[in-house]
Amino acid sequence: MHTVGELLRQWRHRRRLSQLDLAIAAEVSARHVSLVETGKSRPSAEMILRLAEQLDVPLRERNRLLLAAGFAPRYAERPLDQESLSAAWDAIERVLRAHEPYPALAIDRRWDIVMSNRAIDPFLAAVAPDLLVPPINMVRLGLDPRGLAPHIVNLAQVRTLLRIRIARQLATAPDPGLTALYEDYLAPHSGDASQPVESEVAIPMIFSFGGRELRLFSTTTTFGTPMDITLDEVAIESYYPTDADSAAYFTALDAGRQSPAL
């Protein structure tokens, strides 16, 4: 088991900061940072959290730092549908509903879908049933040959983009489950064709259903100042049409859904 000093040093190296850089940011002496990392000084819980804040350590890992130093965890982890998080659950639901008629979904740190709006449903019609057994994983859903992969025209480009995003996520906060997902669907293999990604902000995705192409890009939204691990790890992926034909498809789909049955 790593000491708190060893863990802090790992996070500092991961962030590519020197002891002096961290000391200046946390408003402490570089000597104190050195003593904490080598175990010659036992930091208080407040000092651990102060350093973790400057290192942008995720809340889950901040609890690990506290435990390594002999302190109780500071951040709770509760199911998103628990009553104490009902306001956050309602907020996510409102954001997803407000984005209709376009698709939007909320995912956790392992890209499991925790909530989605109705515009996602048509995309799931041809997906193998076992891929829809909760928790439904967005990466598996998109890249598995029995999922949406056959319908993504620019699949290689989408895979490259997901590889970049998840590799960066793992570099920020390693996770065994996410690593396994990366190895299964995203790890580069010899002979893989490299596909350029023009922009990581406007993510290009081109779907083909029944000879009709839908062109979308997505944006990601996270909670601003979460104090709960669950909220810290939730992100909302919102999809927007890039052309009038794609927009018209979703508008017509929404109109049909709202029309009374005859």
Side-chain angles (χ1 to χ4, degrees):
M1 181 176 176
H2 292 292
T3 66
V4 65
E6 291 170 339
L7 293 174
L8 284 168
R9 183 168 58 249
Q10 290 175 9
W11 280 105
R12 181 173 60 78
H13 288 166
R14 194 172 286 132
R15 297 295 183 256
R16 299 182 180 181
L17 295 176
S18 68
Q19 289 183 344
L20 180 58
D21 292 331
L22 177 57
I24 292 173
E27 298 182 343
V28 298
S29 70
R31 182 173 183 274
H32 185 61
V33 172
S34 176
L35 291 174
V36 168
E37 289 188 354
T38 58
K40 295 178 181 178
S41 176
R42 183 177 185 270
S44 65
E46 288 67 27
M47 178 56 66
I48 292 171
L49 295 176
R50 188 173 178 178
L51 295 173
E53 177 70 22
Q54 299 307 318
L55 292 169
D56 194 26
V57 177
L59 300 190
R60 180 183 298 276
E61 297 301 320
R62 294 186 197 191
N63 275 349
R64 186 183 176 200
L65 289 171
L66 290 168
L67 286 169
F71 298 108
R74 186 70 59 92
Y75 304 99
E77 181 178 11
R78 296 162 289 181
L80 191 56
D81 57 357
Q82 191 177 86
E83 185 176 354
S84 59
L85 291 181
S86 60
W89 179 270
D90 289 344
I92 295 172
E93 187 174 21
R94 285 174 181 272
V95 170
L96 299 184
R97 284 292 184 90
H99 193 65
E100 292 177 353
Y102 308 127
L105 46 82
I107 57 175
D108 64 16
R109 68 191 172 106
R110 292 179 177 171
W111 293 66
D112 288 336
I113 300 174
V114 297
M115 193 186 300
S116 62
N117 66 12
R118 295 177 300 173
I120 291 291
D121 296 344
F123 288 84
L124 307 181
V127 171
D130 62 293
L131 294 178
L132 300 179
V133 176
I136 303 173
N137 185 269
M138 181 178 168
V139 175
R140 188 175 296 112
L141 186 68
L143 300 184
D144 194 290
R146 299 166 303 124
L148 293 174
H151 301 284
I152 301 178
V153 176
N154 60 333
L155 181 62
Q157 189 179 45
V158 170
R159 181 180 283 111
T160 298
L161 180 60
L162 287 172
R163 180 182 296 143
I164 292 171
R165 288 184 62 180
I166 294 181
R168 183 182 297 126
Q169 185 179 342
L170 287 170
T172 300
D175 176 85
L178 192 58
T179 298
L181 187 70
Y182 182 93
E183 293 296 332
D184 287 343
Y185 291 97
L186 296 167
H189 300 289
S190 59
D192 277 1
S194 177
Q195 292 292 323
V197 175
E198 296 179 2
S199 170
E200 290 185 53
V201 178
I203 302 172
M205 295 190 73
I206 307 172
F207 293 92
S208 177
F209 293 99
R212 181 170 190 170
E213 284 194 355
L214 302 175
R215 297 173 177 268
L216 307 170
F217 72 91
S218 77
T219 61
T220 304
T221 305
T222 58
F223 279 85
T225 54
M227 294 300 292
D228 181 278
I229 291 175
T230 302
L231 298 183
D232 187 45
E233 296 174 344
V234 168
I236 296 175
E237 296 275 332
S238 304
Y239 292 84
Y240 298 83
T242 64
D243 55 54
D245 287 343
S246 299
Y249 168 83
F250 289 106
T251 301
L253 194 67
D254 188 60
R257 196 163 39 225
Q258 296 182 26
S259 298
L262 299 179

